[in-house]
Amino acid sequence: MSELPEGWVTTPLQTLAAKTKYPIGDGDHGQIKPATYTDKGIPYIRVADMGWGKFEPNGLVYIPESVHEKNIKSELHPGDILIAKTGATIGKCCIIPDTIPTANTTSSVGKVTVNQDITSPQWILYYFLSREFKEQMWAVSEKTAQPGFNIADLKMFKVPLASLSEQNRIVTKLDKLLGKVDACEKRLTKIPVILKRFRQSILAAACSGRLTAEWREDDSYENDLPADWQWIPLEELLPRGGIFDGPFGSNLKSSDYTDSGVRVVRLENVGHLRFIGEKESFVSRKKYETLKKHTVGIGDIIFASFISEEIRVCLLPVLATKAIAKADCFCLRPKAEVVDRQYLTYQLVSRESYDKLVEEVHGATRPRINTTQLRKVEIRICPLPEQQEIVRRVEALFALADQIEARYTKAKAYVDKLTQSILAKAFRGELVPQDPNDEPASVLLEKIKAEREKNEKTNVRSKKTTK
């Protein structure tokens, strides 16, 4: 733990526990099953109801009061701090709000009730969110087979402690600053949605002819198509052998894959208008010799045969090696004198193409089309010069969207780091000025310690008198 400001101390969490029964503990250990859940009763808080510093109920469930009373050790009240202590979401934490007077929780959750004469729930919550606390947590967790810590660990985690008045000043400042960060994050989350809609609107305008309406000399329409536009089945845009898929079944098995050699273009490489090159698969050059007819190259249109929320099709970029397509990917090589390949990919991912293809595979458990169905899909075709102008305009607008997305990614990374930067500053005592009139935290702890020792002696004398 970093060097503390003057008047601060470091203390185990258990010294800050409230003077109540079971101030630090966890939830039931298997007694409460999903079959016990009810539509009303005592709220049963699970990890799914906890965010990172916020109570975020996610389908909140309840248990009968009779079940709650049998698990009174895990009873919760407003102001109690919860922290996920096992699993992938270890460290998620929140405070029980005033709107929940009584609740219970699971064995995956640790609960802390603090002595508010010494510290505040918000101070502890903010420390749980800090990188400094996470380092302690992960140091303990790494010693276990599954990520997690137990209640004994929780009690002994070190916590920095300022005077109560300084804690309150810092918490107030954190509320204000992190509230601004949170508002910024919410605004940023809207940007990917806006960019997705922007790209969709560009494609819709491009594929319908609206994008080049003022570019055409004749701006008349007939049957919802611009002049000189027509619907043409895909197969009429393809030469003989202009569409093929990869090897099926025993021709290419998982055991044929090697660490290097000839690239295999698979379903996971085909995105919506982009090639996803991170996942690589190869076959040996010897195996490739038996599969040469499935060779694909730069500029080929690769179409994913499985249809889900969108059509996945892209142009194949330059690859470091030769490549073949797998069975779940179709390769299209249209007539260059009739259609621009990039223009065709835009039309293939259009809403009209999607609706037609989904109709072909309606009712299938895993919607998949074949080359026969794809050949029959009608495509809007305009004169080649207009196709090329559409591609130019779409690429320019997409480049603008990419620039905005890059700035968004950079801003998001900055905001993601900002919270930890603010918390680190807070627990170094640098967020608000110190008041020399504040009573040092060590003095407060000594008073609490003396009071506890006095109570313990009183309890011992009481027991002797009773005997």
Side-chain angles (χ1 to χ4, degrees):
M1 190 169 287
S2 58
E3 187 175 339
L4 295 174
E6 186 177 350
W8 288 35
V9 294
T10 300
T11 186
L13 184 60
Q14 66 178 358
T15 63
L16 308 179
K19 307 167 192 176
T20 60
K21 283 188 175 182
Y22 321 119
I24 301 180
D26 53 11
D28 76 278
H29 286 264
Q31 297 93 326
I32 301 176
K33 308 289 185 183
T36 311
Y37 300 165
T38 57
D39 294 332
K40 59 182 180 178
I42 304 297
Y44 186 61
I45 313 300
R46 299 168 296 171
V47 174
D49 302 313
M50 299 161 55
W52 295 96
K54 297 177 184 176
F55 178 62
E56 298 176 343
N58 180 24
L60 191 61
V61 299
Y62 300 84
I63 57 174
E65 192 166 346
S66 57
V67 175
H68 168 70
E69 289 173 353
K70 291 177 182 177
N71 293 273
I72 208 69
K73 285 186 177 182
S74 49
E75 184 176 42
L76 305 175
H77 296 288
D80 285 349
I81 309 144
L82 304 185
I83 181 166
K85 60 188 185 68
T86 59
T89 54
I90 177 176
K92 284 176 72 174
C93 53
C94 67
I95 293 175
I96 297 295
D98 293 338
T99 52
I100 297 182
T102 305
N104 212 301
T105 191
T106 78
S107 58
S108 300
V109 175
K111 68 133 184 176
V112 180
T113 308
V114 296
N115 181 347
Q116 297 195 30
D117 291 333
I118 312 174
T119 190
S120 70
Q122 290 80 7
W123 176 264
I124 301 301
L125 181 75
Y126 280 135
Y127 187 65
F128 281 173
L129 292 170
S130 72
R131 182 177 291 112
E132 197 170 69
F133 173 77
K134 285 180 170 58
E135 288 173 355
Q136 290 190 70
M137 181 183 71
W138 283 110
V140 170
S141 180
E142 288 171 357
K143 299 174 184 177
T144 61
Q146 181 185 6
F149 56 86
N150 57 38
I151 294 305
D153 297 322
L154 182 59
K155 289 178 179 180
M156 296 310 297
F157 283 138
K158 303 287 187 178
V159 178
L161 197 69
S163 69
L164 191 56
S165 56
E166 187 173 359
Q167 288 180 50
N168 291 336
R169 292 197 301 274
I170 292 172
V171 165
T172 299
K173 188 71 171 180
L174 283 172
D175 287 343
K176 184 177 180 180
L177 292 176
L178 296 182
K180 290 181 178 180
V181 173
D182 187 50
C184 184
E185 286 177 334
K186 287 178 180 177
R187 287 194 292 270
L188 282 174
T189 58
K190 296 177 182 178
I191 293 177
V193 178
I194 293 170
L195 286 174
K196 183 176 181 179
R197 289 175 182 167
F198 176 64
R199 291 185 175 105
Q200 288 173 339
S201 67
I202 292 169
L203 284 175
C207 294
S208 66
R210 287 183 284 113
L211 190 62
T212 45
E214 90 294 342
W215 181 88
R216 292 188 297 274
E217 293 182 5
D218 186 350
D219 61 356
S220 62
Y221 275 70
E222 185 176 345
N223 297 324
D224 294 329
L225 282 178
D228 295 331
W229 285 52
Q230 56 185 317
W231 289 100
I232 296 180
L234 178 62
E235 61 186 351
E236 294 186 17
L237 305 174
L238 304 172
R240 184 179 180 85
I243 182 171
F244 62 89
D245 49 20
F248 280 88
S250 60
N251 292 325
L252 180 59
K253 304 185 293 292
S254 298
S255 58
D256 292 321
Y257 292 139
T258 57
D259 294 333
S260 61
V262 175
R263 182 78 178 267
V264 180
V265 176
R266 306 175 65 182
L267 194 64
E268 57 263 41
N269 298 128
V270 185
H272 183 77
L273 295 177
R274 71 186 186 97
F275 181 77
I276 305 169
E278 289 79 6
K279 296 182 179 180
E280 297 183 331
S281 301
F282 301 91
V283 293
S284 67
R285 293 194 173 274
K286 181 178 179 181
K287 182 65 180 178
Y288 167 70
E289 291 301 319
T290 68
L291 303 171
K292 289 178 72 171
K293 67 178 181 178
H294 304 288
T295 299
V296 292
I298 180 174
D300 282 347
I301 300 173
I302 308 298
F303 191 101
S305 63
F306 289 101
I307 308 294
S308 54
E309 295 180 359
E310 59 186 7
I311 291 175
R312 292 152 56 190
V313 58
C314 66
L315 293 183
L316 193 67
V318 176
L319 299 177
T321 68
K322 289 183 178 180
I324 59 170
K326 198 171 178 289
D328 48 20
C329 298
F330 305 145
C331 176
L332 284 72
R333 292 175 183 156
K335 299 173 184 176
E337 69 277 11
V338 176
V339 62
D340 181 278
R341 293 190 180 191
Q342 185 65 72
Y343 172 83
L344 182 55
T345 64
Y346 293 152
Q347 288 289 355
L348 285 171
V349 299
S350 70
R351 191 70 210 177
E352 289 76 10
S353 296
Y354 176 84
D355 290 342
K356 290 172 183 176
L357 290 170
V358 167
E359 188 176 343
E360 288 288 337
V361 294
H362 179 70
T365 305
R366 194 178 182 195
R368 175 175 178 169
I369 67 164
N370 54 44
T371 54
T372 300
Q373 293 166 326
L374 186 57
R375 284 173 181 273
K376 302 299 181 185
V377 173
E378 291 192 326
I379 304 295
R380 284 171 293 203
I381 294 297
C382 58
L384 195 57
E386 187 169 1
Q387 293 179 36
Q388 293 165 344
E389 177 64 14
I390 287 171
V391 169
R392 185 190 70 78
R393 294 189 179 198
V394 170
E395 288 181 342
L397 290 168
F398 275 10
L400 176 61
D402 291 343
Q403 290 174 19
I404 296 171
E405 190 166 38
R407 291 174 65 183
Y408 153 76
T409 302
K410 187 176 181 179
K412 187 176 183 302
Y414 174 76
V415 171
D416 288 345
K417 294 177 181 177
L418 190 56
T419 294
Q420 283 304 323
S421 176
I422 292 170
L423 288 171
K425 196 169 183 179
F427 292 106
R428 289 196 304 265
E430 299 172 0
L431 204 59
V432 298
Q434 285 194 287
D435 186 340
N437 297 317
D438 287 343
E439 182 180 63
S442 57
V443 174
L444 182 59
L445 280 181
E446 285 299 322
K447 289 180 180 178
I448 297 296
K449 181 181 177 182
E451 185 180 342
R452 284 182 176 171
E453 289 175 350
K454 181 180 177 181
N455 289 337
E456 286 173 4
K457 289 178 181 178
T458 302
N459 290 336
V460 170
R461 285 198 300 268
S462 178
K463 288 180 181 178
K464 287 181 178 179
T465 303
T466 303
K467 290 181 179 179

